[in-house]
Amino acid sequence: MNTLVSNVKSAFINKFKTEPLLIFSPGRINIIGEHTDYNDGFVFPAAVNKGIFAAFQKSDSGTSTVYALDMDSSIEFSLENLKPSKQGHWENYVFGVIAEIQKKNKTVSNFNLVFKGDIPAGSGMSSSAALENSVVYGLNELFNLGLSKHDMIHISQKAEHNYVGVNCGIMDQYASMFGIKNNALLLDCRTVESKPYEIDFKDHQLVLINTNVKHSLSDSAYNDRRSVCEHISGLMGIKALRDANEADLEKIKDQVTSENYQKALFVIQENNRAIKASKAIEEGDLVTLGNLIYGSHDGLQHQYKVSCEELDFLVEQAKLNKHVLGARMMGGGFGGCTINLVAKHGIEDFTESASKAYEKKFNKACSVYFVELSNGTHVIKN
Ligand code: GLA
């Protein structure tokens, strides 16, 4: 058994003296299609072998207790009249999920939970969706709530909107719940259905580099971007930017600021890039895929303006290295990881030179991660 699972399991048994139900809920990467999910567009994520390990059992003590093993922080609470805690507190992910289950007229009774993860917070790999999904999945199992996977991801997403305050799309929760080993999922965020693509880049590989920074305005900037997109689709009389092409946008150009025009243009172009990337993967055309990935970063940096100096620097390092076919920031932005498509024989050369240059420039270290594509949220069999 993986050490993290055993840690979580023994912490649970020490604290609550019963055998728990164990759940793994993965984080995700995203090959391409950023900020397109809340525009009903396409994204191309995959679940990974890093995530949240959670141990659950029913409680007959009259209260519920959740213990975040990473932070050595625990909270005891009653299930009635749940309210969001102070912004930024981890328990909002748990409270939010319970409250959203209750809104569906499903009954959750008292329970105990211990969890721990190995996704660095702020890395853009969706530790929050992994946690939300682990909670909803565990409670569904424990109390036979009869929720489908689609119900569960919408509960996780609503928890994020109403308790965490981020008006996120559905990509992270979907990828974490529905992941398939060795596959990425081309997800249509309108129908919330996906097509799996087996990922085997032969002599190339995806490598993540974490800037180890997360700039503080990221949540409000995220919500602002979403409002801009909704405002512009409203002006165009369409449901979401997914329904527009560049010519449609041109027609309302004089009704929006040039900054907002660029943002909407980015979304339309990024949506097309996600579709083109899936074709490139089908055809094994990694050069095209790499260029689309570079194009995505360029748009995120200059048009959508959700990148930051540290991410841009790492992408520049990738461009300087002949072993890298494509690199871009991944996730919501303002920090976290870059995702890089690198020739296997050049990985050491690239990661070493990029790490050295990063340390020299910012006086702090970045971190390199290798991930495997994994199955979605599931029960860990003892
Ligand atoms: C965050 C959100 C997702 C998505 C990405 C950007 O990860 O949670 O819904 O919008 O940012 O693509």
Side-chain angles (χ1 to χ4, degrees), residues 35 38 87 93 121-124 160 164-168 213-226 304-308 311 329-336:
H35 289 273
Y38 52 83
Q87 233 195 341
Y93 297 102
S123 61
E160 187 103 11
V164 182
V166 179
N167 294 326
C168 64
V213 298
K214 183 77 197 166
H215 295 290
S216 58
L217 283 174
S218 60
D219 289 358
S220 60
Y222 184 94
N223 291 345
D224 286 351
R225 296 300 181 283
R226 184 169 181 158
Y304 214 59
K305 296 195 180 348
V306 290
S307 187
C308 63
L311 287 165
M329 54 149 276
M330 190 179 76
F334 304 102

Side-chain angles (χ1 to χ4, degrees), residues 70-358:
D70 283 326
M71 293 162 270
D72 191 21
S73 159
S74 143
I75 183 157
E76 190 180 343
F77 57 97
S78 147
L79 295 170
E80 279 105 61
N81 305 318
L82 280 173
K83 296 214 164 40
S85 292
K86 260 199 277 158
Q87 233 195 341
H89 279 218
W90 63 264
E91 61 260 29
N92 281 330
Y93 297 102
V94 180
F95 290 174
V97 166
I98 303 169
E100 295 301 328
I101 294 176
Q102 290 170 336
K103 277 190 201 162
K104 289 189 150 283
N105 286 327
K106 301 271 181 187
T107 310
V108 173
S109 305
N110 280 312
F111 67 95
N112 296 317
L113 162 60
V114 175
F115 72 88
K116 185 179 167 95
D118 58 356
I119 310 171
S123 61
M125 292 168 75
S126 297
S127 54
S128 48
L131 175 56
E132 290 148 2
N133 279 354
S134 74
V135 176
V136 69
Y137 200 96
L139 295 178
N140 189 46
E141 289 284 319
L142 213 54
F143 299 111
N144 288 316
L145 301 176
L147 298 166
S148 69
K149 286 187 174 185
H150 275 95
D151 293 335
M152 291 194 263
I153 61 170
H154 286 112
I155 286 170
S156 292
Q157 184 194 28
K158 284 276 175 308
E160 187 103 11
H161 290 182
N162 298 331
Y163 271 66
V164 182
V166 179
N167 294 326
C168 64
I170 198 68
M171 166 169 74
D172 305 349
Q173 291 79 7
Y174 186 96
S176 166
M177 183 66 73
F178 288 91
I180 302 175
K181 195 173 165 54
N182 298 331
N183 281 257
L185 308 172
L186 180 68
L187 169 64
D188 179 335
C189 297
R190 171 161 283 165
T191 59
V192 198
E193 296 296 337
S194 68
K195 181 176 168 198
Y197 285 72
E198 194 175 344
I199 300 300
D200 175 4
F201 293 146
K202 307 274 185 303
D203 49 1
H204 284 74
Q205 193 181 317
L206 294 170
V207 178
L208 304 179
I209 308 185
N210 193 353
T211 58
N212 291 323
V213 298
K214 183 77 197 166
H215 295 290
S216 58
L217 283 174
S218 60
D219 289 358
S220 60
Y222 184 94
N223 291 345
D224 286 351
R225 296 300 181 283
R226 184 169 181 158
S227 309
V228 167
C229 292
E230 284 167 359
H231 171 69
I232 296 181
S233 51
L235 283 178
M236 295 169 87
I238 53 176
K239 187 162 174 283
L241 286 178
R242 184 266 179 67
D243 300 313
N245 59 32
E246 291 185 30
D248 300 326
L249 181 64
E250 196 62 33
K251 290 187 197 132
I252 58 126
K253 194 172 182 179
D254 56 0
Q255 297 175 50
V256 294
T257 64
S258 63
E259 293 240 304
N260 287 350
Y261 169 81
Q262 286 301 328
K263 292 192 175 92
L265 184 60
F266 164 77
V267 170
I268 293 168
Q269 293 173 340
E270 180 72 356
N271 200 39
N272 289 333
R273 276 190 287 264
I275 296 164
K276 285 186 187 152
S278 69
K279 299 221 167 74
I281 288 179
E282 249 165 32
E283 289 160 10
D285 181 354
L286 296 187
V287 171
T288 298
L289 177 63
N291 287 333
L292 290 164
I293 291 174
Y294 275 135
S296 170
H297 186 80
D298 194 64
L300 288 157
Q301 177 182 358
H302 298 293
Q303 296 171 278
Y304 214 59
K305 296 195 180 348
V306 290
S307 187
C308 63
E309 208 192 340
E310 292 87 349
L311 287 165
D312 296 341
F313 183 82
L314 285 179
V315 171
E316 283 311 310
Q317 291 304 305
K319 284 188 179 159
L320 292 173
N321 192 296
K322 62 178 187 301
H323 304 299
V324 186
L325 290 181
R328 63 177 202 87
M329 54 149 276
M330 190 179 76
F334 304 102
C337 290
T338 59
I339 181 166
N340 304 270
L341 180 59
V342 192
K344 283 184 182 155
H345 69 270
I347 289 179
E348 214 178 290
D349 176 68
F350 167 55
T351 55
E352 276 182 11
S353 63
S355 301
K356 270 200 199 119
Y358 188 85

